[in-house]
Structures are given as structure tokens and as C-alpha cells.
């Protein structure tokens, strides 16, 4: 299994703060709409108090493929534009009905530990110092498995799908 930046709030330095953040994002959406909710989420995920996953980052750096990096386009490709359009259309459902239940999931760490040799956690090259990367690094620390860096950020599969897919194939075959 490869999980890319899994939202395991229970493994954050302060799980209650994580739950409050996602509840605040939902409340912001309900009160002021999508743009406000995304601003609340961005501030919460990148704020000055966000702990940096130093050990996980070191392992991800070591796992980075040679010549890593990703394409940064001035303008999105037609494929990217369509992906982002669909994401925007789905944001209200995500913010109202998915975010809090999804981020509230508590995995069975004992069971994951029993299959750790088959567990890979992906961390985005551009997001490895953000709050979204902390749970994955901590999950590997707790149960084993390996941490692998992927091109792009938290949504690297949409930022550069070709490079992300190439790294995914590489990780699956390792």
C-alpha cells in the first residue's frame, strides 16, 4: 500500500489542534464560503507553529529520486485545468461532508505494523515541511514501512501527473 500524505490527525503533535483546525475550516466554509475555508486551511497548515517533520524529512530527502523535481508551468495544461475545475466544483461537498470525518479517522496502528514491510508513505517534495506531511512521517516512525518522496506537493498527482506516476511506479517496484 502507498498512502500519500495520509490525514492521520491522531499522529499530529497536537491532535486536538488538528481536529479544531478542520472544524474551523468547515465552519469558515459554512459562514463565508469556499475561498474563506481554503484560506483558513492554508493558514492552519502552514502557520508559524507548524512542527517540521525533521526525521521524516531527512528520510524523504534520502529517498528522493536522482534528478528529482517537478515541472512548474506558468499556465496549467488543459488536463490540469479540467482537474482543477472538477476540484472546485467538488469543494463544497468536500468541505461540508468529507473533511472532518475523513481527517477524524484513527487507523489500527497494530494492524498496520503487522504489514509494515508492505507499507509506503508518500510525502510531496514541495509539502514535506507542511502539517500535511507530519502524520505520514510519524506513522512510519510508529509502525515501520518506508517514506518516499514524490514530485510536487500534497496534490502532486494533479500538479504533474506524469512525474508522479513515474515515481509511483518506481516506488511500487522497489
Amino acid at each position: 500500500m502507498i498512502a500519500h500524505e495520509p490525514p492521520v490527525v491522531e499522529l499530529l503533535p497536537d491532535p486536538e489542534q488538528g481536529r479544531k483546525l478542520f472544524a474551523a475550516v468547515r465552519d469558515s466554509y459554512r459562514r463565508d464560503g469556499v475561498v474563506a475555508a481554503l484560506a483558513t486551511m492554508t493558514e492552519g497548515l502552514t502557520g508559524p507553529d507548524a512542527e517540521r517533520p525533521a526525521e521524516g524529512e531527512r528520510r524523504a530527502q534520502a529517498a528522493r529520486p536522482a534528478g528529482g523535481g517537478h515541472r512548474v508551468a506558468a499556465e496549467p495544461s488543459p488536463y490540469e485545468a479540467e482537474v482543477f475545475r472538477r476540484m472546485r466544483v467538488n469543494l463544497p461537498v468536500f468541505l461540508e461532508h468529507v473533511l472532518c470525518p475523513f481527517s477524524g479517522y484513527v487507523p489500527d496502528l497494530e494492524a498496520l505494523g503487522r504489514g509494515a514491510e508492505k507499507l509506503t508513505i508518500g510525502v510531496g517534495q514541495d509539502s514535506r515541511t507542511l502539517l500535511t506531511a507530519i502524520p505520514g512521517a510519524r506513522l512510519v516512525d510508529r509502525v515501520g514501512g518506508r517514506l518516499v518522496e514524490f514530485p510536487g506537493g500534497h496534490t502532486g498527482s494533479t500538479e504533474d501527473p506524469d512525474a508522479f506516476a513515474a515515481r509511483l511506479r518506481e516506488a511500487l517496484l522497489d
Side-chain angles (χ1 to χ4, degrees):
M1 176 181 91
I2 296 181
H4 185 73
E5 296 189 7
V8 186
V9 172
E10 290 303 310
L11 294 179
L12 288 173
D14 183 349
E16 184 58 28
Q17 181 182 0
R19 285 188 288 276
K20 285 180 181 177
L21 166 63
F22 293 122
V25 170
R26 185 187 56 213
D27 292 344
S28 181
Y29 165 70
R30 289 174 174 170
R31 186 180 54 254
D32 300 315
V34 170
V35 173
L38 294 178
T40 301
M41 185 177 308
T42 299
E43 182 180 327
L45 295 177
T46 61
D49 296 331
E51 180 180 309
R52 306 301 184 218
E55 177 60 26
E57 182 175 342
R58 283 195 297 276
R59 285 196 314 251
Q61 291 268 0
R64 181 181 294 175
H70 73 286
R71 174 181 62 84
V72 177
E75 191 172 307
S77 71
Y79 170 80
E80 291 167 327
E82 176 57 19
V83 167
F84 294 132
R85 185 198 66 75
R86 284 193 321 257
M87 288 171 67
R88 278 192 304 275
V89 168
N90 291 323
L91 273 172
V93 172
F94 173 76
L95 293 168
E96 180 66 38
H97 302 289
V98 177
L99 178 63
C100 287
F102 188 69
S103 60
Y105 174 72
V106 178
D108 182 338
L109 296 179
E110 185 178 317
L112 285 171
R114 288 192 300 268
E117 72 280 355
K118 297 178 182 176
L119 177 65
T120 298
I121 300 296
V123 175
Q125 174 181 330
D126 297 340
S127 56
R128 67 178 179 266
T129 61
L130 301 180
L131 194 64
T132 56
I134 293 171
R138 286 181 168 216
L139 184 59
V140 169
D141 288 343
R142 295 273 293 280
V143 305
R146 65 187 177 133
L147 195 66
V148 175
E149 190 169 88
F150 280 77
H154 185 64
T155 58
S157 61
T158 61
E159 295 164 13
D160 190 345
D162 294 335
F164 193 93
R167 183 64 176 129
L168 179 60
R169 277 190 292 280
E170 192 177 285
L172 288 168
L173 296 173
D174 281 348

